[in-house]
Amino acid sequence: MALIEFTKGHGTGNDFVLVSDPEGRLDVSPDQIRYLCDRHFGIGGDGFIRAIRSSAHPEGDDRAEWFMDYWNADGTPAEMCGNGVRVYVHFLIAEGLISVDPGDSIAIATRAGIKDVLVDANEYTVDLGGWRLAEERLVTVPGLDVARPGLGIDLGNPHVVCALAHDGELEALELTSAPRLDPVPASGANVEFVVPREPLVTDGIAEVRMRVHERGVGETLSCGTGTAAAALAFRHWGGPGMPDDWRVAVPGGTLLVSMFPVGDIEHVSLSGPAELVYRGSIDLP
């Protein structure tokens, strides 16, 4: 057995097991990741993040010193995590691996490309990059009497967003198992269920409430890229006149999503807190 040091962190309740491995010397298998993320036998988390330099990882990018090696709780690699990348930068700062001041931005390499993270006094803002509409799918989930249409949103990782009529429908959902999607996506998808607030727009900011089933994890208290997908879907449905700033309430808190042009491409950003909860060590089986 190998003893490793870890840190537990979260962003609006979306929690992660983080380890520092700058030179890529740590070999953690998918089975060991499942063990670490198990809430009964391990540490517990929605995902596993290894802090490794881009130069030490085969998927690294020389445009960024650090690569976020992110894995879902079921031991499968994932392209990106909007909450995870904010917590990752907070971890790099706490570990003394980077030195930044409020107002600085740092580039992080991910499997979905480079993500720029702005460090503020109390929160982090990540530029998730461009996005695109994807295939529509029917969504079937216990708690809803009929299948509902879902809009596909690609943010480097796949999402399907389903609009519901009221809070009662949202609260009735049973998300312990993955919603059924038709047609079935080849690599799965995160599925967001969203209800608009009444009124939808106040002082130029729209607000929605969301629950999510994350691919490879299950229902989580928050999903960063999922909140962006939810806001993008509702703006798409609302048409011209919808705002570019959205407040998305999730079970773990509230995140701010904003859309803005970068050249000929529209980008979307995600702002919210990141916290480190505790440190420890554990034997890997």
Side-chain angles (χ1 to χ4, degrees):
M1 299 181 77
L3 184 72
I4 65 166
E5 306 291 325
F6 71 88
T7 297
K8 178 70 177 287
H10 77 91
T12 54
N14 200 185
D15 59 342
F16 312 98
V17 179
L18 302 106
V19 299
S20 178
D21 185 28
E23 307 310 321
R25 297 190 177 98
L26 185 63
D27 184 18
V28 181
S29 70
D31 284 343
Q32 289 170 326
I33 289 171
R34 284 192 288 272
Y35 166 74
L36 291 171
C37 292
D38 190 287
R39 298 189 185 279
H40 299 286
F41 296 101
I43 300 162
D46 296 325
F48 171 83
I49 301 174
R50 181 170 61 137
I52 182 172
R53 287 193 170 89
S54 282
S55 59
H57 196 283
E59 297 171 281
D61 190 317
D62 59 12
R63 294 174 296 170
E65 180 183 3
W66 292 95
F67 179 83
M68 183 178 76
D69 189 16
Y70 180 72
W71 296 71
N72 293 319
D74 69 349
T76 56
E79 300 90 344
M80 234 294 287
C81 176
N83 287 320
V85 71
R86 298 194 330 274
V87 175
Y88 179 58
V89 170
H90 191 47
F91 175 70
L92 292 177
I93 295 170
E95 291 289 298
L97 297 171
I98 60 173
S99 178
V100 295
D101 295 318
D104 287 348
S105 182
I106 180 170
I108 299 296
T110 75
R111 293 185 179 91
I114 298 292
K115 305 301 175 185
D116 292 314
V117 182
L118 176 67
V119 179
D120 205 346
N122 299 310
E123 65 178 17
Y124 297 82
T125 297
V126 54
D127 180 352
L128 298 174
W131 66 279
R132 66 178 181 86
L133 291 174
E135 185 176 3
E136 293 189 356
R137 303 177 191 275
L138 281 178
V139 181
T140 302
V141 62
L144 294 180
D145 52 356
V146 295
R148 302 291 177 90
L151 180 65
I153 300 285
D154 189 329
L155 280 153
N157 59 351
H159 296 267
V160 175
V161 182
C162 183
L164 302 181
H166 51 76
D167 285 344
E169 285 194 329
L170 189 66
E171 291 159 3
L173 298 176
E174 174 53 67
L175 297 180
T176 53
S177 58
R180 190 165 73 250
L181 301 176
D182 183 20
V184 178
S187 301
N190 302 307
V191 185
E192 289 80 27
F193 298 90
V194 192
V195 173
R197 292 298 197 189
E198 185 60 44
L200 175 62
V201 181
T202 303
D203 297 328
I205 300 177
E207 186 167 357
V208 295
R209 183 182 172 206
M210 183 187 93
R211 288 177 64 189
V212 58
H213 186 283
E214 287 199 58
R215 173 190 57 166
V217 185
E219 182 174 12
T220 59
L221 295 179
S222 180
C223 174
T225 53
T227 61
L232 288 164
F234 260 82
R235 193 190 60 165
H236 173 76
W237 290 323
M242 283 286 98
D244 292 329
D245 296 315
W246 292 71
R247 190 175 291 115
V248 183
V250 294
T254 301
L255 294 163
L256 181 66
V257 175
S258 296
M259 300 85 166
F260 55 96
V262 177
D264 296 330
I265 301 174
E266 183 176 64
H267 282 217
V268 57
S269 69
L270 173 71
S271 300
E275 298 184 38
L276 302 179
V277 182
Y278 62 86
R279 302 172 186 272
S281 59
I282 189 170
D283 281 318
L284 285 179

